[in-house]
Amino acid sequence: MQGARIRYTPTTAPEMGTETKRNMEVLLEADPAKSAGQGFGSAGQYLDVCIKTDTDTLDGYGLRIIRTAAHSDAVSMYLIQYVRGQAQCISREVVTNCFVTGCRIWVRYENGILSAKAWTVTEPTVVQQERGYARGVELTAEVGRRENAENTGLLIWHTGSLGTENWRNTTMLHGVSILYF
């Protein structure tokens, strides 16, 4: 088995009075089973945390956390836009060691700006410090106000395999909170 998706769309539009709330943020608490900071079993596997998503057409925005062949003890993170299920990079890429136990992932869309932060309380190894990996990530991209403005869904897409003993490449999600404003 490989991959898991969580798709969530509110049953009613997030509203306050007569005005529909168009901004959205999500906070995800995650513990990857990989303790060396590489997050996944092999290069090319990733976790996407997407907001302002149409969970049927898979149009929306998010943060991609991906293991690359370049690092065995870190992941890359960058912002993405999904168009009909295909992800496109829309920001710079940051190599980080924060995708380990205690990782917090925050993604926000506000008035046409997509922002994301990721961090952990876990201390980096000496080697990770020597390699100069980012301790945390902060990314932003202007995505516009019209495209995907009505979307209210959340997509969490984990492409990792189970690994040996059926758990060594997994990521435990401890909590997900969504705010519409």
Side-chain angles (χ1 to χ4, degrees), residues 55-110:
T55 56
D56 291 326
T57 65
L58 297 183
D59 291 333
Y61 306 107
L63 174 69
R64 175 160 286 179
I65 303 166
I66 186 168
R67 181 171 182 182
T68 67
H71 306 284
S72 62
D73 58 353
V75 295
S76 291
M77 294 189 187
Y78 50 87
L79 297 175
I80 56 173
Q81 178 177 4
Y82 265 98
V83 178
R84 288 179 287 292
Q86 298 297 312
Q88 304 165 15
C89 178
I90 59 170
S91 75
R92 66 186 173 93
E93 179 179 329
V94 176
V95 177
T96 180
N97 63 309
C98 75
F99 192 56
V100 292
T101 301
C103 186
R104 300 299 177 258
I105 301 159
W106 174 85
V107 183
R108 179 182 181 113
Y109 171 92
E110 183 174 11

Side-chain angles (χ1 to χ4, degrees), residues 150-163:
E150 301 302 318
N151 295 345
T152 58
L154 169 72
L155 170 68
I156 300 172
W157 193 338
H158 187 282
T159 66
S161 58
L162 296 175

Side-chain angles (χ1 to χ4, degrees), residues 29-52:
E29 301 172 31
D31 283 341
K34 291 287 190 182
S35 60
Q38 75 274 40
F40 307 92
S42 58
Q45 294 178 342
Y46 59 86
L47 170 69
D48 288 346
V49 180
C50 300
I51 62 174
K52 297 298 285 179

Side-chain angles (χ1 to χ4, degrees), residues 9-17 19-22 150-152 180:
T9 302
T11 56
T12 59
E15 296 179 339
M16 175 187 250
E19 183 178 322
T20 299
K21 297 179 181 183
R22 298 191 183 272
E150 301 302 318
N151 295 345
T152 58
Y180 297 94

